[in-house]
C-alpha cells in the first residue's frame, strides 16, 4: 500500500479531488431534498466486485487464495428463471474473519452509506443468512452449495453505526424462513412486487392481502419490465389475466397501470414506490435494467415536461385517498 501511495500519488490526488467535489455537490442536493420533505433511498449490494478497491486492499476479508484469486464466487442456483443458475462472479466473504474484527469493514461501509442516504436498501439480503458458493472456474451456477451467513451478528453490527438511517431489506427470490425471522428481529421492512403477485397462488406473499404493514411495495423494480410491458395480454396466461381482472377490478387492458397504482396505495404496506416509467405508462423500451446483460441498461431519462400536472394530481389523489401523508 505504501509503495502504491508513492507510485500513484498524482492519480490518487486526482481521484480524491473528484470524490471531494462529488460529495460536496451530493450533500448540497441531499440537503435541498430533505428540506423539501424528500428522503433519498440508496442501494448497497451485499457483494463487491473482484476488481474493486475493497477486495484489492482487504484480501484477507474475502475467500481468495495466496495469489488473491477467488476460491469461490457468488451466484444463485437453477430456478424457474434460469435452468443453469446465475454466475455473478463476486468474491465471497470470509465471515469468520469478518466476525473476528467485529465486522469493522462492514461498519465502515454502512457508515459511509448512512452519510449519503436517508434510507439504505441492502440488495440480496438473503445472503446475510445464507449464501450460495460456486467453485471458482465454474461456467454456471449448477455446482454451488448453500452455506450459512452471519445472520443477526451482522445486522447488530450494522445497527450500531447507522444512526437514524433506515434499512430496507431486498428479500426477493427463493423463500428462506431464516430471512423472515431475521426481518422480524431487526424490524427491517421487506419488499413486495406486484408484478410477481398473480401467479395463481392465492397465498402468494406479493398479493396485497398477504402484506404486513412493515413492508415496501413496488410495482416492479429497476430489474423488471415496466408495468405496461409486463401486463401485455400476449405475455400472460389467460388464467393470470382473469385473476388480475378479478383482483383489481380491471375491465380493459388500458386500466391495468392505474389499477396497479391504486391497489398498491390501498395496501397496508408502509411505503409505496413506483418507477417514473410506470407513472408515465411507458413500454419496455424504457426498461431500466435487464439483469445479466450489458450495453443497453440505465439509459432511460425523463425529458422535461413528460411528468405533467395531471400525473401529479393523480398521485396526490392517491396519497390523500389512502392517507399516505
Amino acid at each position: 500500500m505504501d509503495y502504491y501511495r508513492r507510485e500513484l500519488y498524482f492519480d490518487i490526488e486526482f481521484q480524491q479531488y473528484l470524490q471531494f467535489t462529488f460529495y460536496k455537490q451530493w450533500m448540497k442536493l441531499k440537503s435541498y431534498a430533505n428540506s423539501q420533505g424528500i428522503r433519498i433511498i440508496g442501494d448497497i449490494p451485499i457483494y463487491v466486485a473482484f476488481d474493486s478497491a475493497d477486495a484489492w486492499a482487504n484480501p484477507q476479508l474475502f475467500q481468495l487464495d495466496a495469489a488473491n484469486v477467488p476460491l469461490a464466487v457468488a451466484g444463485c442456483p437453477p430456478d424457474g428463471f434460469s435452468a443453469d443458475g446465475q454466475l455473478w462472479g463476486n468474491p465471497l466473504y470470509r465471515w469468520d474473519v469478518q466476525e473476528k474484527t467485529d465486522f469493522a469493514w462492514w461498519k465502515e461501509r454502512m457508515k459511509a452509506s448512512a452519510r449519503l442516504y436517508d434510507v439504505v436498501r441492502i440488495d440480496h439480503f438473503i445472503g446475510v443468512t445464507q449464501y450460495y458458493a460456486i467453485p471458482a472456474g465454474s461456467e454456471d451456477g449448477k455446482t454451488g452449495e448453500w452455506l450459512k451467513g452471519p445472520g443477526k451478528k451482522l445486522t447488530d453490527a450494522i445497527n450500531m453505526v447507522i444512526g437514524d438511517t433506515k434499512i430496507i431489506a431486498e428479500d426477493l427470490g427463493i423463500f428462506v424462513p431464516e430471512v423472515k425471522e431475521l426481518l422480524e428481529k431487526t424490524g427491517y421492512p421487506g419488499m413486495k412486487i406486484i408484478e410477481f403477485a398473480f401467479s395463481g397462488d392465492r397465498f402468494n406473499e406479493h398479493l396485497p392481502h398477504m402484506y404486513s404493514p412493515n413492508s415496501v411495495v413496488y410495482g416492479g423494480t429497476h430489474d423488471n419490465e415496466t408495468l405496461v410491458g409486463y401486463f401485455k395480454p400476449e405475455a400472460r396466461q389467460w388464467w393470470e389475466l382473469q385473476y388480475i381482472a378479478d383482483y383489481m377490478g380491471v375491465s380493459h387492458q388500458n386500466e391495468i397501470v392505474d389499477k396497479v397504482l391504486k391497489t398498491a396505495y390501498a395496501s397496508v404496506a408502509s411505503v409505496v414506490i413506483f418507477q417514473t416509467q410506470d407513472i408515465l405508462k411507458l413500454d419496455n423500451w424504457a426498461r431500466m435494467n435487464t439483469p445479466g446483460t450489458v450495453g443497453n441498461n440505465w439509459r432511460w431519462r425523463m425529458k422535461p415536461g413528460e411528468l405533467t400536472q395531471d400525473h401529479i394530481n393523480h398521485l396526490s389523489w392517491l396519497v390523500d385517498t389512502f392517507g399516505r401523508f
Side-chain angles (χ1 to χ4, degrees), residues 23-86:
Y23 281 107
K24 185 177 178 180
Q25 294 174 351
W26 176 260
M27 296 314 297
K28 184 177 180 181
L29 171 64
K30 183 176 182 295
S31 296
Y32 172 74
N34 291 165
S35 72
Q36 303 299 308
I38 296 170
R39 291 184 295 172
I40 295 177
I41 301 176
D43 213 48
I44 185 168
I46 191 169
Y47 297 123
V48 299
F50 171 59
D51 61 356
S52 65
D54 291 298
W56 182 79
N58 306 280
Q60 73 281 2
L61 300 178
F62 299 87
Q63 294 184 28
L64 307 174
D65 65 16
N68 287 345
V69 175
L71 298 168
V73 295
C76 64
D79 56 21
F81 298 100
S82 174
D84 294 329
Q86 296 180 38

Side-chain angles (χ1 to χ4, degrees), residues 113-159:
S113 292
R115 288 192 293 268
L116 291 175
Y117 314 122
D118 303 297
V119 183
V120 177
R121 191 192 84 133
I122 301 178
D123 194 25
H124 194 60
F125 188 78
I126 290 172
V128 174
T129 62
Q130 63 181 49
Y131 62 97
Y132 195 64
I134 303 170
S138 299
E139 295 182 355
D140 53 42
K142 293 179 179 179
T143 57
E145 62 175 332
W146 286 105
L147 299 173
K148 188 175 178 59
K152 193 170 183 293
K153 294 177 182 177
L154 177 59
T155 57
D156 285 347
I158 289 172
N159 289 339

Side-chain angles (χ1 to χ4, degrees), residues 192-207:
K192 309 299 179 186
I193 309 295
I194 289 186
E195 284 188 5
F196 298 168
F198 303 102
S199 64
D201 182 351
R202 272 46 175 175
F203 300 99
N204 183 328
E205 66 172 323
H206 296 284
L207 284 166

Side-chain angles (χ1 to χ4, degrees), residues 81-103:
F81 298 100
S82 174
D84 294 329
Q86 296 180 38
L87 182 66
W88 301 335
N90 307 82
L92 297 169
Y93 298 110
R94 294 186 187 273
W95 286 120
D96 57 335
V97 177
Q98 295 266 3
E99 186 175 349
K100 288 177 183 177
T101 67
D102 196 25
F103 302 100

Side-chain angles (χ1 to χ4, degrees), residues 14 21 27 29 73 75 80 89 123 156 181 183 188 210 229 234 239 248 258 306:
F14 179 62
T21 302
M27 296 314 297
L29 171 64
V73 295
D123 194 25
D156 285 347
E181 293 170 8
L183 291 182
Y188 298 167
M210 296 295 294
E234 60 269 26
W239 47 265
M248 296 191 293
D258 287 334
E306 281 193 278

Side-chain angles (χ1 to χ4, degrees), residues 292-303:
T293 68
V294 295
N296 292 304
N297 296 320
W298 299 98
R299 291 188 170 188
W300 181 82
R301 299 291 185 271
M302 184 176 68
K303 297 177 181 178

